[in-house]
């Protein structure tokens, strides 16, 4: 059943398990060492693994992520002025300071504070000149943090947790959906043109479930979503290829551009189209006949077609339009079929769709790597494994595997052996238990 978004931006009584209570106490002590004594509030946002539906969100298609237990926390204290002072429990992430406003200057590309700047700037554009700043200490360190560059959306979790804290300290009563929308646009600050999946999942995930989301907002700006339970007696294993990816610039925006080019090419035949999603009901051969194998922004301009290049894409960037559109088209269908499979408790069907999704990501979207392909193929060789695919943007990161509970020990052994034999290192493996949405963490009893 579709859900409506009625809950306020969440306050979470986590009933913190012991290790998290210890993490909480340590974070408060570190905060006081950094900023001195006074009131402190703590917020968290989870990472995500996408079960199926890759590179569909910026095409207004369907996705099915779930929240990880691994998360990012921020301890905060409101300030009387509009400054934000940022520190991190990890020395690799140096402190930063900025003033909240509608045009916050960026730190150098790749600097972690840009996610916080993006969040603050987006909120400031909603509330010009009224936002108070904060002193903030971020904690996303191992083992409880989200591994960076693993395709598990650590950057969106950081964006969300900063926005959540700023919204709470400024008494802004956003619904989770509205905050997700703002956070999604906030992340464009770093130059990428991703969709809403990660931020929406961080703010609306439900424990034990995957989130089926239609990323196309309705005319009122509302999103339709539903929660799907994972198949009984099955588990999800994450295998990290160890190859780190960064979306900032480059290949990611080239994929976005190819999809926009496909829309530009189809518009003369389907005048209502704004995103690839709009032609989802057409038979693929009809669309394929209208899409060249490749084009460039210059060629589109010469034909007088309306096309907006995302950052980093030039007039002569080659865009493989037909294959990219085919991935998005078939992936949307796979997500819808996956929801049906989950409702029917059909793990075999769900797994088969995941594996098909990997092959489409590999061949049509060209976002895989040998390490990811090797993990997928090794996993599929183990009896009881239902399906496997790369998760997240690609070009590194993790593989998500659906397997019967009984198969898990053997699967883990087999992945470790085969990966080590070929690549000379062990792939970090994590059994994934779907966690809950972002919110405030109340002090442990
Ligand atoms: P990750 O895997 O977190 O880099 C990115 C986009 C998503 C989505 C996926 C591909 C951002 C913040 N995230 O996720 O919106 O497009 O790639 O499905 O841009």
């Amino acid at each position: 059943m579709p859900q409506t978004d009625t809950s306020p931006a969440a306050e979470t009584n986590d009933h913190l398990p012991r290790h998290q209570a210890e993490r909480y106490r340590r974070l408060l002590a570190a905060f006081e060492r950094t900023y001195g004594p006074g009131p402190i509030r703590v917020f968290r946002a989870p990472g995500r693994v996408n079960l199926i539906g890759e590179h569909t969100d910026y095409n207004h298609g369907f996705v099915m992520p779930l929240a990880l237990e691994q998360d990012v926390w921020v301890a905060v204290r409101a300030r009387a002025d509009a400054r934000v002072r940022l520190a991190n429990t990890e020395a690799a992430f140096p402190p930063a300071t900025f003033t909240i406003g509608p045009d916050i200057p960026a730190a150098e590309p790749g600097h972690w504070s840009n996610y916080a700047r993006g969040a603050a700037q987006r909120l400031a554009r909603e509330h010009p000149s009224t936002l108070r700043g904060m002193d903030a200490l971020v904690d996303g360190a191992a083992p409880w943090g989200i591994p960076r560059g693993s395709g598990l959306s650590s950057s969106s979790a950081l964006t969300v947790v900063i926005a959540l804290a700023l919204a709470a300290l400024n008494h802004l009563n956003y619904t989770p959906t509205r905050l997700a929308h703002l956070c999604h646009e906030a992340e464009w600050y770093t130059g990428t043109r991703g969709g809403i999946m990660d931020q929406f999942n961080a703010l609306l995930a439900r424990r034990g479930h995957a989130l089926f989301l239609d990323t196309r907002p309705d005319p009122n700006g509302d999103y339709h979503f539903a929660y799907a339970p994972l198949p009984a007696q099955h588990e999800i294993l994450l295998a990290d290829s160890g190859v780190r990816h960064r979306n900032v610039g480059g290949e990611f925006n080239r994929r976005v551009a190819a999809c926009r080019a496909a829309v530009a090419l189809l518009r003369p035949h389907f005048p209502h189209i704004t995103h690839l999603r709009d032609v989802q009901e057409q038979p693929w051969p009809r669309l394929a006949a209208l899409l060249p194998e490749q084009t460039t922004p210059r060629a589109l301009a010469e034909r007088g077609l309306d096309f907006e290049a995302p950052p980093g894409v030039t007039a002569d960037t080659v865009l493989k339009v037909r294959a990219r559109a085919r991935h998005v088209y078939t992936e949307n269908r796979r997500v819808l079929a996956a929801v049906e499979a989950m409702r029917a408790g059909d793990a075999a069907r769900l797994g088969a769709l995941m594996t098909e999704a990997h092959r489409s990501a590999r061949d049509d979207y060209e976002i895989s790597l040998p390490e990811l392909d090797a993990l997928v193929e090794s996993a599929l060789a183990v009896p009881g494994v239902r399906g496997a695919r790369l998760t997240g943007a690609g070009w590194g990161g993790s593989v998500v595997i659906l397997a019967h509970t009984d198969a898990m020990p053997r699967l883990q052994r087999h992945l470790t052996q085969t990966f080590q034999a070929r690549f000379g290192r062990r792939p970090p493996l994590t059994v994934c238990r779907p966690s809950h949405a972002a919110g405030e963490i109340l002090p442990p009893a």
Side-chain angles (χ1 to χ4, degrees):
M1 282 299 287
Q3 306 282 312
T4 46
D5 171 34
T6 50
S7 53
E11 181 124 341
T12 312
N13 192 347
D14 249 340
H15 301 296
L16 287 181
R18 225 212 324 257
H19 63 265
Q20 297 288 41
E22 182 51 33
R23 178 183 177 190
Y24 188 97
R25 274 188 284 275
R26 261 190 280 151
L27 181 60
L28 260 55
F31 187 98
E32 294 203 335
R33 280 197 302 278
T34 311
Y35 298 114
I40 305 172
R41 293 172 74 178
V42 178
F43 298 82
R44 84 176 264 279
R48 71 101 185 85
V49 52
N50 191 17
L51 215 47
I52 191 161
E54 222 62 83
H55 291 272
T56 49
D57 59 354
Y58 51 82
N59 292 296
H60 278 188
F62 306 107
V63 293
M64 186 129 56
L66 49 89
L68 294 172
E69 289 178 313
Q70 285 90 342
D71 53 16
V72 56
W73 290 15
V74 65
V76 294
R77 178 182 298 150
R79 291 174 60 88
D81 59 15
R83 303 286 284 165
V84 172
R85 290 198 289 172
L86 271 185
N88 198 303
T89 55
E90 291 174 87
F93 300 104
T97 303
F98 59 87
T99 302
I100 303 181
D103 288 292
I104 301 173
E108 70 269 18
H111 195 283
W112 71 286
S113 71
N114 283 335
Y115 295 101
R117 291 169 202 258
Q121 174 173 290
R122 188 64 193 85
L123 290 182
R125 288 185 178 179
E126 294 287 293
H127 306 275
S129 74
T130 54
L131 290 188
R132 301 167 74 186
M134 62 183 181
D135 290 337
L137 178 62
V138 171
D139 176 40
W144 314 114
I146 308 157
R148 259 86 47 172
S150 298
L152 304 178
S153 205
S154 58
S155 57
S156 298
L158 178 56
T159 304
V160 165
V161 85
I162 294 291
L164 195 60
L166 278 175
L169 295 180
N170 284 283
H171 310 289
L172 309 175
N173 285 322
Y174 289 122
T175 63
T177 295
R178 179 70 189 144
L179 196 57
H181 186 83
L182 294 174
C183 288
H184 147 239
E185 292 186 352
E187 219 165 314
W188 292 1
Y189 183 90
T190 62
T192 53
R193 289 295 176 267
I196 199 172
M197 161 169 67
D198 301 345
Q199 303 83 1
F200 200 99
N201 182 64
L203 283 154
L204 284 119
R206 179 182 287 178
R207 197 186 293 282
H209 291 76
L211 171 74
F212 166 58
L213 170 66
D214 181 345
T215 65
R216 157 148 288 175
D218 70 16
N220 299 323
D222 292 328
Y223 290 86
H224 294 274
F225 58 99
Y227 296 101
L230 297 176
Q233 295 176 329
H234 284 76
E235 285 182 85
I236 290 173
L237 185 73
L238 284 174
D240 187 346
S241 70
V243 183
R244 296 287 164 252
H245 87 111
R246 280 200 14 216
N247 288 342
V248 178
E251 289 291 332
F252 189 93
N253 281 0
R254 219 167 291 163
R255 298 300 184 279
V256 175
C259 295
R260 289 186 188 175
V263 168
L265 287 156
L266 292 170
R267 193 171 291 118
H269 309 274
F270 305 97
H272 67 289
I273 186 175
T274 61
H275 293 79
L276 277 176
R277 158 69 177 281
D278 297 316
V279 289
Q280 200 59 45
E281 304 309 320
Q282 299 294 325
W284 172 251
R286 174 153 191 228
L287 303 177
L290 298 171
L291 296 172
E293 201 175 307
Q294 59 184 52
T295 188
T296 60
R298 190 186 303 284
L300 296 172
E302 281 163 4
R303 290 176 57 181
L305 297 172
D306 191 18
F307 169 82
E308 190 199 334
V313 171
T314 68
D316 295 312
T317 302
V318 173
L319 307 171
K320 295 190 182 178
V321 178
R322 194 188 305 149
R324 307 304 188 231
R326 182 168 52 210
H327 167 76
V328 174
Y329 179 90
T330 57
E331 186 79 348
N332 276 326
R333 295 196 158 198
R334 282 186 289 271
V335 180
L336 295 177
V339 185
E340 291 312 313
M342 288 174 86
R343 286 186 178 142
D346 188 344
R349 174 87 182 119
L350 174 61
L353 290 161
M354 290 169 64
T355 304
E356 268 177 47
H358 180 76
R359 305 220 156 112
S360 176
R362 182 190 66 193
D363 301 337
D364 276 348
Y365 228 62
E366 295 186 87
I367 56 173
S368 193
L369 291 178
E371 288 84 347
L372 297 167
D373 294 338
L375 285 168
V376 167
E377 298 310 325
S378 294
L380 292 175
V382 176
V385 170
R386 308 298 184 209
R389 58 178 288 276
L390 67 82
T391 186
W395 302 287
S398 302
V399 157
V400 54
I401 303 159
L402 177 69
H404 193 280
T405 305
D406 295 345
M408 289 305 259
R410 188 161 165 202
L411 170 61
Q412 300 196 33
R413 275 198 309 276
H414 185 70
L415 284 177
T416 304
Q417 279 162 10
T418 53
F419 196 86
Q420 187 150 31
R422 179 150 169 211
F423 299 102
R425 57 196 154 82
R426 296 159 75 94
L429 303 175
T430 311
V431 179
C432 164
R433 289 176 203 84
S435 166
H436 58 290
E440 183 161 8
I441 300 181
L442 301 179

